[in-house]
Amino acid sequence: MKSIVKEILNRESYSKDELVKLLSCEGEDRTFLFMKSAEVKEKYIGRKVWFRGLIEFSNICGKDCLYCGIRKGNKNLNRYNLSDDEILDAARFAYVNRYGSIALQSGELESPFVTERIENLLHRIKVMSNGELGITLSVGEQEPEVYRKWFDAGAHRYLLRIEATNESLYRKIHPEDRNHDFNRRLKCLKSLQDIGYQTGTGVMIGLPFQTLDDLAGDLLFMKEFDIDMCGMGPYIEHADTPLMASTADLLPLEERFDLTLRMIAILRIMMKDINIVAATALQAIDPVGREKAVKIGANIIMPNITPGRYRSSYKLYDNKPCTDDSAEDCQSCLEARVSLADNEIVYGEWGDSRHYERRRRAEGAGLRAKG
């Protein structure tokens, strides 16, 4: 009997129903899916992985997302905010060790002070690294003019995870108020893309109330929005969050893990030349989770270079791995892990999204044709 999965994967594009079939495949079909995604990665990306040195510079957040351990309403958390010098020291570690890029991540805050501080930090990091260190920002929703200032100051990639593209599901995992507006998040993503950022988003996989139909819709959204990079991972509970009340509706962790691998594999096949992160949360479930993601499609890993004494306070979910490792230990560990996945780390390069370069060329050609 002919495999429906193989039949689907021979097509150029997929319907939502076909994606649901791919997401639910098992046995030989699952093996074939992963083999296919690995082939696509090798053809369009190579057996390569790029590092983004992750600096989690503050766990202070103005949002109250129902799933997140650093949500504003969590009173059982030691809040911190790295000094500018601590951030620069971490960036210097990445530069000296030839990571190529860093990612500055924090809770979501909007204020003139935050805008100016990040703008100044971007300038200082560029000066410190002779313009050689690539910079990704992941600091949440902002007004377009703020994104523009940071872009002009040297940030060239931005990750803003949508978390769920089904608005009904989005509302179930966020408070219903003006500070958690689904449409504003979409507008922010569009602003980032229009300004010229390499634009990334992502979703949580295995949420309460989530269906395979929702996840298929997430994949179609990323394709239609034409993202340049993706960071998505399994939903893992945090004890100090309201969503803990819905644990009875959750898939077992192992199933959430496997579903995440299938999402990565399918997205790699659908969007062949984007950057895909092997999320740290995968390692919280499976000791070799990130290696498995690299094998079947991921090409970005984010070693944590936040000063060690702060790491346990940036817990978006419970059982976060690597909180006790030094930056040096994390680097050595990941080098070994990537090697086990039969891939190589590319040092000294930004590792920009090839999709971004192709998309911008196409946009430029379209503008010239209209002119």
Side-chain angles (χ1 to χ4, degrees):
M1 181 174 159
K2 191 170 183 180
S3 165
I4 295 175
V5 165
K6 289 182 180 180
E7 206 173 290
I8 293 170
L9 290 175
N10 280 330
R11 297 169 190 160
E12 289 298 312
S13 60
Y14 315 122
S15 68
K16 183 180 279 190
D17 287 344
E18 288 168 339
L19 288 171
V20 168
K21 287 184 173 70
L22 294 179
L23 286 166
S24 55
C25 70
E26 296 177 348
E28 289 183 8
D29 284 337
R30 176 183 176 276
T31 301
F32 182 80
L33 171 67
F34 290 165
M35 183 181 72
K36 178 77 171 176
S37 63
E39 287 174 358
V40 170
K41 180 193 170 186
E42 184 162 3
K43 179 178 178 181
Y44 289 87
I45 305 294
R47 293 187 180 184
K48 297 177 179 179
V49 172
W50 286 264
F51 276 173
R52 306 273 184 263
L54 178 61
I55 307 171
E56 297 165 331
F57 66 91
S58 176
N59 68 351
I60 301 169
C61 191
K63 295 286 184 101
D64 237 347
C65 305
L66 306 182
Y67 50 81
C68 184
I70 67 168
R71 64 193 302 270
K72 182 180 179 181
N74 183 5
K75 305 302 181 186
N76 300 322
L77 181 66
N78 292 320
R79 302 288 175 175
Y80 74 87
N81 193 4
L82 298 190
S83 69
D84 288 3
D85 285 343
E86 286 174 316
I87 295 169
L88 286 165
D89 283 346
R92 190 173 292 107
F93 174 88
Y95 177 57
V96 168
N97 286 277
R98 302 185 66 243
Y99 278 17
S101 290
I102 58 171
L104 295 173
Q105 180 174 298
S106 71
E108 296 196 28
L109 292 173
E110 292 183 76
S111 74
F113 172 78
V114 168
T115 300
E116 184 178 354
R117 184 192 186 204
I118 292 176
E119 186 178 13
N120 289 336
L121 279 166
L122 292 169
H123 284 301
R124 292 180 69 183
I125 291 167
K126 285 295 179 183
V127 169
M128 179 273 296
S129 67
N130 300 311
E132 295 173 23
L133 204 55
I135 304 175
T136 302
L137 288 179
S138 183
V139 291
E141 297 171 13
Q142 307 287 337
E143 290 300 307
E145 57 267 25
V146 174
Y147 289 144
R148 167 61 68 183
K149 281 186 177 181
W150 293 343
F151 184 79
D152 291 342
H156 64 288
R157 291 185 293 249
Y158 203 106
L159 178 66
L160 182 66
R161 287 175 36 148
I162 189 70
E163 304 299 8
T165 62
N166 178 333
E167 187 173 358
S168 175
L169 176 59
Y170 187 93
R171 292 179 183 279
K172 288 178 181 177
I173 61 175
H174 294 90
E176 290 194 32
D177 59 35
R178 296 172 66 183
N179 197 33
H180 302 81
D181 188 311
F182 177 78
N183 289 314
R184 190 193 181 207
R185 205 148 184 99
L186 291 179
K187 287 177 182 175
C188 285
L189 278 169
K190 189 67 174 71
S191 293
L192 290 164
Q193 198 175 62
D194 289 345
I195 288 165
Y197 281 95
Q198 293 175 48
T199 305
T201 194
V203 296
M204 283 182 290
I205 299 155
L207 284 162
F209 328 116
Q210 188 182 59
T211 66
L212 292 182
D213 196 70
D214 291 328
L215 291 171
D218 293 336
L219 290 166
L220 290 172
F221 169 85
M222 289 187 269
K223 175 74 173 176
E224 289 163 9
F225 192 87
D226 210 14
I227 63 168
D228 304 302
M229 55 191 197
C230 179
M232 59 183 172
Y235 166 67
I236 300 176
E237 310 92 306
H238 190 294
D240 297 321
T241 60
L243 216 57
M244 276 295 289
S246 302
T247 51
D249 298 316
L250 289 174
L251 293 170
L253 278 172
E254 294 76 14
E255 290 186 33
R256 282 177 254 168
F257 175 86
D258 198 62
L259 196 50
T260 302
L261 291 187
R262 278 177 269 172
M263 285 283 287
I264 290 171
I266 296 166
L267 187 61
R268 173 57 70 201
I269 295 166
M270 291 174 66
M271 304 191 74
K272 296 174 173 50
D273 54 358
I274 68 169
N275 281 346
I276 301 178
V277 176
T280 306
L282 289 164
Q283 194 175 321
I285 299 174
D286 185 320
V288 291
R290 284 194 276 189
E291 296 93 306
K292 290 180 178 179
V294 165
K295 272 183 172 291
I296 55 93
N299 67 310
I300 302 294
I301 284 184
M302 302 175 74
N304 198 327
I305 57 173
T306 309
R309 64 184 177 276
Y310 300 108
R311 290 191 199 176
S312 61
S313 296
Y314 200 94
K315 287 178 69 175
L316 307 182
Y317 51 86
D318 285 336
N319 302 315
K320 182 181 177 182
C322 306
T323 55
D324 297 325
D325 293 348
S326 68
E328 292 84 359
D329 289 340
C330 195
Q331 179 181 3
S332 299
C333 173
L334 287 172
E335 284 177 341
R337 288 174 175 274
V338 170
S339 178
L340 284 172
D342 197 23
N343 275 244
E344 64 170 322
I345 299 164
V346 182
Y347 284 104
E349 291 183 11
W350 285 6
D352 282 344
S353 167
R354 295 178 183 180
H355 182 83
Y356 171 82
E357 295 162 11
R358 184 166 58 83
R359 178 171 65 80
R360 296 294 281 184
R361 282 197 302 270
E363 288 172 358
L367 288 172
R368 287 192 294 275
K370 287 180 181 178

